Amino acid sequence: MTERPTTVVFTTLAMNQTLFFEALGRSLEQYGYSVAYICFHERSHDYLTGRGARSFNAFALGAGGDEWPDWGSYGITNPAFLLSHEKAAFEIRNTSVLLAKFSRHIEAVRRVLNELILERHNGRLLLVQELGGFASILASFFVARSQGIDNLFIEPSFFRGRVFFVRNSLAAPIIAGPTGKRADREVVDYLDAAVSKKNAVIPRKDAHHYRMASKKIFDPRHMQRLVQKVVDKYLFGKREEFEHIGGHIGRHVRMAAKSVLLAYYYQPLPAHEPFIYYPLHVPADVALTLRSPTYLDQYALIDYLCRVTPYPYRVVIKEHPALVGAVDFRRMRTLLNDHDNLILLNANINNFTVLEAASVVVTVNSKSGAEALLLRKSVIMLGDAFYRSCTLVRWIECLADLEPALRQALCSPFPLALDDIYDYFQDVWDNSFPGELYHTEAGNIDVFAQSLVRMLAQSEMSA
């Protein structure tokens, strides 16, 4: 009996994801894989079925699934806690409504995977999705794992044009080191160029976010997408995960207004005063809501950091350039009024410029911590990131350890050899794969497909 091919199941939440995964799926079929899609975006479902792809409409299949499931059977101990990302991203406070949505998504994914399991018989299923904290992504992950199906999360790597694949875990990939492997010329040249050109690590899929809110609002492309969303929702009744149109518009209008108000509080980078740098994370980012939820309230963390920072050091903070104005203005103003050692920088200042001048960099799990390493800076991290197990940074287990860690970093900094730093980033490179998410150029699709095939083969061998 011929062994049935492995079926790769993609989840998609938006049309840009659908276009990418559909192209990627067709490439995977050339390698002998079967492909299916779970759509949390009804326009995408129509598109895929119109092109002959095997697609499942999660909203239709989740109908009637409002009764809460046996959460424990899916490995879920506290479903309300898993809704932190949904609440923060969509500014929704009604837990029962979100639990009902979570339940419907679980029911939909359960039906899809059960149907595919029956069809595949001896064939294996593999679920592939971008890392995210939305109910759709989490429902897919937990249902798959409850049925013994591998889940591969895709997320951008530290290196532009490369990605991490994380198997069966919501945690960050674990990359210890440095292991002693010498960095090759390609990695050294990349790192040297990043430092000399002061280039932040920005995945291509996120590059359009790095603008002022006012420019995003009036972007013709965004206006076109807004009109399409309004027509889909109110004229055709199509459902999608990102259906909160009014909330999305309101957030960006408020961001534009707050970015103007915050400008009053901007101060220049200290020229002659030593400081500790805390780069603000994207609010409601999965790196906080899912991987380091203890530090989701960054204002409380900044308040504590200001109180434990030794005199005469200042604390310098800067908004994430992808979401300028997304901070809570009142809480930020209170922090600036309460702490005379706190400085808010203009978000447009190059991050490498700030890192170069800092005495110590404190971060939850920002890639800025890894960039600081390139400049041989002392890094204290509190959360879950790929470089958490790196011996060149100080990872602290709880917030109470921050004050002694700060004193140690200031008085007895790690002796950071550039060779060791580069060797560690060689380890990071070796644990990542070539490819850019959501870019459908033929060359990128081919490269990404080859990377995914390599990872899928590894997954199959370890199954």
Side-chain angles (χ1 to χ4, degrees), residues 109-121:
V109 177
R110 184 191 68 80
R111 291 182 180 181
V112 172
L113 296 184
N114 282 350
E115 181 174 334
L116 291 174
I117 288 171
L118 290 173
E119 288 182 2
R120 301 317 304 159
H121 300 297

Side-chain angles (χ1 to χ4, degrees), residues 144-291:
R145 296 306 303 133
S146 72
Q147 298 186 4
I149 297 170
D150 280 342
N151 178 98
L152 287 182
F153 280 127
I154 308 170
E155 60 179 293
S157 164
F158 175 79
F159 294 96
R160 187 177 293 104
R162 298 181 72 85
V163 295
F164 290 132
F165 292 115
V166 183
R167 180 170 174 254
N168 297 336
S169 176
L170 296 168
I174 300 173
I175 305 177
T179 60
K181 180 181 179 181
R182 297 287 92 179
D184 61 31
R185 177 50 52 189
E186 183 178 13
V187 171
V188 171
D189 288 346
Y190 180 101
L191 298 175
D192 285 344
V195 172
S196 64
K197 297 178 182 178
K198 298 186 175 182
N199 280 340
V201 181
I202 304 173
R204 285 181 61 190
K205 74 181 185 70
D206 296 327
H208 66 284
H209 291 302
Y210 286 68
R211 295 176 295 169
M212 298 298 292
S214 57
K215 292 185 178 180
K216 296 178 188 178
I217 292 173
F218 297 107
D219 185 311
R221 176 171 165 267
H222 289 179
M223 296 295 289
Q224 183 181 9
R225 289 178 63 188
L226 173 61
V227 171
Q228 185 180 72
K229 278 178 173 286
V230 171
V231 170
D232 278 350
K233 180 175 182 177
Y234 296 107
L235 186 59
F236 296 118
K238 293 188 182 297
R239 293 163 291 184
E240 62 172 285
E241 187 78 327
F242 306 118
E243 64 182 2
H244 307 286
I245 300 173
H248 184 71
I249 295 172
R251 277 191 297 277
H252 279 78
V253 170
R254 292 194 301 273
M255 283 167 54
K258 285 187 289 185
S259 64
V260 174
L261 295 174
L262 282 169
Y264 173 79
Y265 293 92
Y266 289 158
Q267 296 183 52
L269 187 68
H272 305 293
E273 297 175 289
F275 67 86
I276 292 159
Y277 179 38
Y278 175 81
L280 280 158
H281 296 262
V282 172
D285 186 74
V286 68
L288 295 178
T289 59
L290 194 64
R291 287 186 168 164

Side-chain angles (χ1 to χ4, degrees), residues 13 31 35-36 48 120 127 165 169 177 207 211 216 250 253 262-263 306 311 314 324 332 382 411:
L13 282 63
Y31 288 91
V35 178
L48 289 168
R120 301 317 304 159
L127 182 66
F165 292 115
S169 176
R211 295 176 295 169
K216 296 178 188 178
V253 170
L262 282 169
C306 288
Y311 183 84
R314 311 289 293 273
V324 178
M332 181 61 71
L382 301 91
C411 298

